[in-house]
Amino acid sequence: MEEWAAQCGMQKAPGVEIASEDGVDYSLQATQPISTGQSVVYVPADIVLNSASIQQEFGESLAQAEAVLVQGIKVRVRVKEGINYRLPLFRLMAKILVEYEKGQESAFYPWLNSLPKQFFNGVSMTKACTSCLPPYAGWLTSNEKINYARFAQALRQGWVPLSQETVSNEEVVKWAYNVAFTRFHEVWQPERAKLIGPMADMLNHAADPNCAIEVDYSGNINVVALREIPAGSALTISYGDPTNPTPLFAQYGFLPQDCTTIFCKAMHLEPQIRGLGYDFAELLFQTE
């Protein structure tokens, strides 16, 4: 995968290497010191999966699938707004499945073949596992399962150019969802989009990250060092608020080791909580 990415224009700083402690999970590590502001990894737009570009690529077929996704939800307005907000994720999922179906003919095959095959986040949990979760974690996980089911159902309507064999394969469809859901980076300019950059998607999470992802208006991705990074350090970014780790657990399947938060247990009071102008992130207790 790394050789393929380099042939496509990916560049990395000297000493940036793919590393693994267990031969299963892989991430980026600095084997040489890296200076503040130095470019760590550069990924050209040509090999970046960009939800905005995907929308243009698939055109009307994708638009029809998205219309089915939104219009098929006969529930309160806030849920429909949530689905509209997630359409960039749906586009990434559809693109991953289309490229998967091409097999070795896909331009992205080396990257696809390098991706994890197993996930441990909320969508991947069984009903029995979900039922054992604390209330806040269970609520987020259940919402994610519902979102995945809606995405899968929309794909099975036949608008996106995918074979029946592919869309009927629950394992493959869920894998594509999890790849998109756990590896995207979101931007808001020049338009809101979700992107996945091969190699740049191998940065792990840290509460105090040493790198940040920048995206220019052409869609090129540049990972930049936020401070001096000693040799032997893992290269990290922030996946989300470390003081509210439950969403990290639901999306990625892990809790930060330095987590000191007690889960909110007042899920049955959601309407009252939101009516007071609070979010669940503001109702967590910190322990010593």
Side-chain angles (χ1 to χ4, degrees):
M1 189 277 289
E2 183 177 358
E3 181 180 352
W4 162 80
Q7 290 173 350
C8 293
M10 182 277 298
Q11 301 171 32
K12 58 187 181 69
V16 173
E17 303 292 343
I18 297 175
S20 176
E21 294 181 356
D22 57 9
V24 177
D25 295 320
Y26 291 85
S27 60
L28 298 183
Q29 184 175 22
T31 61
Q32 298 180 24
I34 295 176
S35 303
T36 305
Q38 184 176 350
S39 176
V40 176
V41 175
Y42 169 83
V43 186
D46 288 346
I47 58 170
V48 172
L49 277 70
N50 186 322
S51 63
S53 302
I54 294 166
Q55 185 180 18
Q56 297 175 2
E57 177 183 349
F58 292 121
E60 185 63 20
S61 64
L62 185 63
Q64 291 287 354
E66 292 176 359
V68 169
L69 181 62
V70 175
Q71 294 170 8
I73 302 173
K74 298 178 180 179
V75 289
R76 61 186 186 275
V77 173
R78 188 160 63 87
V79 175
K80 286 189 177 182
E81 291 174 347
I83 289 294
N84 276 302
Y85 184 81
R86 286 171 169 263
L87 289 180
L89 181 64
F90 180 71
R91 293 162 191 162
L92 283 178
M93 177 186 180
K95 174 66 172 177
I96 290 166
L97 283 170
V98 168
E99 295 300 327
Y100 163 85
E101 201 171 69
K102 294 178 183 176
Q104 296 188 32
E105 299 299 317
S106 169
F108 291 92
Y109 176 77
W111 173 69
L112 291 169
N113 196 44
S114 73
L115 293 170
K117 303 301 187 290
Q118 188 174 15
F119 293 84
F120 302 94
N121 58 354
V123 173
S124 304
M125 290 183 184
T126 64
K127 290 182 179 180
C129 288
T130 304
S131 67
C132 295
L133 295 174
Y136 184 27
W139 179 71
L140 290 174
T141 295
S142 296
N143 284 347
E144 216 50 64
K145 284 177 173 290
I146 292 169
N147 189 66
Y148 160 72
R150 288 170 176 158
F151 278 19
Q153 182 61 30
L155 287 172
R156 290 171 182 142
Q157 300 306 305
W159 292 106
V160 178
L162 290 165
S163 70
Q164 189 62 36
E165 180 182 0
T166 295
V167 296
S168 298
N169 189 325
E170 182 74 12
E171 183 178 346
V172 169
V173 175
K174 186 173 290 187
W175 169 80
Y177 181 90
N178 277 327
V179 169
F181 191 45
T182 60
R183 304 183 88 83
F184 76 81
H185 175 75
E186 190 160 31
V187 297
W188 299 88
Q189 297 293 336
E191 59 185 321
R192 179 173 172 263
K194 285 179 164 58
L195 305 90
I196 304 178
M199 285 293 287
D201 64 340
M202 299 184 72
L203 294 158
N204 277 340
H205 166 80
D208 184 24
N210 53 29
C211 293
I213 293 178
E214 299 177 351
V215 182
D216 64 25
Y217 276 22
S218 297
N220 303 300
I221 290 178
N222 194 27
V223 180
V224 178
L226 294 175
R227 57 177 180 270
E228 300 292 315
I229 303 175
S233 302
L235 300 176
T236 59
I237 57 173
S238 173
Y239 288 5
D241 183 0
T243 67
N244 180 25
T246 317
L248 293 176
F249 174 76
Q251 182 170 357
Y252 300 101
F254 71 87
L255 283 171
Q257 293 183 353
D258 56 355
C259 169
T260 59
T261 302
I262 296 176
F263 294 104
C264 172
K265 301 183 184 300
M267 302 309 301
H268 63 295
L269 299 177
E270 179 190 1
Q272 293 90 331
I273 290 170
R274 297 198 182 278
L276 291 170
Y278 291 105
D279 187 79
F280 289 112
E282 299 169 288
L283 298 173
L284 302 177
F285 298 91
Q286 298 294 322
T287 61
E288 293 283 322

